[in-house]
């Protein structure tokens, strides 16, 4: 407990790190400001010093995941080159963002859309999926993917595989190394020798 | 509503079909025998005529999913031939079982292990995963999969992709055709042309 930041050292970022753990453990709907205050070890008024309330914390937390995911689409390797290589880059980097921002992406994937912030997060997730499906389409059109690949279905299966990693991945686990590489190789080259 | 079976025509199977919908909608913990009685349109005592209670209904429902999944491992194409072909058969058939037994597999995937029946279901899921991971291992040993494939990780990614289908697949959807084939092609040959 010696490392728990006290009221004066709390920042929005350290508050978010605690918040996202509580949201993932209890669910957003099941978390009260009281729960957050207890978990952070600071008073509710200290929390309100940083944010307007629970929904703003949710927006900041899923926003962090979304910024990471969308950021991959603007990287040079995602914006120039052959569509299939841009797609491969996005698949690899999306997996890496999931691994490095694990609790934030986990929270994003659990959002179901009951509040305005949740609706906004779902819409941005759909936007992201559409951007990737568009890349798949370009790669198919360029003859770089197998002709039978249906872009929307392929995108769903790709993200199904990537997103499922939050179910079992724990930082530092023996399989931590090479997860992104394994995803890319399976998705683009398949398992078969 | 004309097709709703009445008390005299109810069988365990038709009761299960209603039960699994209610469990998936409300969660197993959140479902009471009262809820099931209302959804089925029969009295609680009529339900108790068929089963001992809620947990037996859960066991029958997830058992149906598990029987379907394990059944694929005993099919001739899964028990003889090259390991890679046996694995491909199991991946295809597992996906087909998920599609045809969608509500039952959905329920199985949501089991978290609070009761004895849930513990049993989780254990059988792990057994199934181990059986498939063993097939992956045999195929790697036979040089039929890429040498870098790590069996446990590959199995997790494979089932991550397959199991994610329950999140979006609806019977009769435009993408319904060819889902199992798309999974097999992506997993074994990859997307790249």
């Amino acid at each position: 407990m010696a490392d728990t930041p006290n009221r004066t050292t709390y920042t929005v970022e350290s508050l978010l790190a605690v918040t996202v753990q509580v949201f993932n453990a209890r669910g957003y709907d099941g978390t009260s400001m009281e729960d957050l205050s207890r978990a952070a070890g600071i008073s509710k008024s200290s929390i309100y010093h940083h944010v307007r309330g629970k929904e703003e914390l949710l927006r900041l937390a899923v926003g962090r995941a979304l910024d990471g995911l969308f950021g991959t689409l603007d990287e040079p390797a995602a914006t120039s080159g052959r569509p299939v290589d841009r797609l491969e880059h996005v698949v690899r980097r999306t997996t890496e963002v999931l691994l490095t921002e694990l609790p934030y992406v986990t929270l994003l994937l659990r959002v179901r859309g009951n509040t305005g912030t949740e609706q906004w997060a779902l819409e941005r997730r759909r936007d992201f999926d559409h951007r990737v499906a568009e890349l798949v389409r370009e790669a198919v059109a360029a003859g770089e993917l197998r002709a039978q690949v249906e872009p929307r279905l392929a995108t769903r299966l790709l993200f199904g595989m990537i997103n499922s990693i939050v179910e079992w991945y724990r930082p530092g686990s023996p399989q931590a190394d090479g997860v992104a590489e394994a995803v890319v190789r399976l998705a683009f080259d398949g398992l078969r020798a």
Side-chain angles (χ1 to χ4, degrees), chain A:
Chain A
M1 302 298 281
D3 291 317
T4 305
N6 63 31
R7 175 180 173 163
T8 53
T9 64
Y10 250 100
T11 61
V12 170
E13 190 166 358
S14 57
L15 181 57
L16 266 191
V18 173
T19 297
V20 74
Q21 304 291 352
V22 181
F23 283 169
N24 283 334
R26 305 178 62 96
Y28 174 69
D29 289 339
T31 301
S32 65
M33 287 298 283
E34 192 61 41
D35 295 325
L36 295 177
S37 158
R38 207 174 306 121
I42 59 177
S43 67
K44 282 198 271 182
S45 65
S46 299
I47 297 178
Y48 285 118
H49 173 72
H50 292 294
V51 291
R52 275 186 303 271
K54 199 175 85 158
E55 194 167 346
E56 184 173 352
L57 285 166
L58 178 67
R59 190 179 58 75
L60 291 169
V62 298
R64 176 163 161 168
L66 287 162
D67 288 349
L69 294 171
F70 274 93
T72 66
L73 299 176
D74 295 330
E75 292 169 355
T79 55
S80 66
R82 299 195 318 154
V84 67
D85 295 330
R86 291 157 55 203
L87 179 65
E88 179 173 318
H89 177 79
V90 169
V91 166
R92 182 189 306 277
R93 291 286 297 124
T94 297
T95 308
E96 288 172 354
V97 167
L98 177 143
L99 298 172
T100 55
E101 303 289 346
L102 190 67
Y104 299 94
V105 176
T106 302
L107 182 63
L108 175 65
L109 295 176
R110 290 184 185 170
V111 161
R112 282 297 168 267
N114 298 317
T115 65
T117 295
E118 288 171 282
Q119 291 289 349
W120 163 81
L122 283 178
E123 209 166 296
R124 290 210 70 201
R125 266 193 72 186
R126 272 193 295 267
D127 285 350
F128 184 78
D129 289 357
H130 289 155
R131 295 273 302 269
V132 177
E134 187 49 41
L135 257 183
V136 175
R137 231 168 263 123
E138 285 181 49
V140 170
E144 296 162 353
L145 298 189
R146 284 183 297 98
Q148 307 89 319
V149 171
E150 202 287 294
R152 190 78 194 95
L153 178 54
T155 306
R156 281 180 151 150
L157 294 176
L158 267 177
F159 282 117
M161 175 165 63
I162 294 170
N163 294 341
S164 73
I165 296 170
V166 305
E167 303 296 334
W168 56 266
Y169 178 82
R170 295 297 168 263
S173 77
Q175 300 187 320
D177 287 345
V179 171
E181 179 64 17
V183 166
V184 166
R185 290 282 71 81
L186 194 163
F188 288 88
D189 303 334
L191 294 172
R192 200 186 297 267

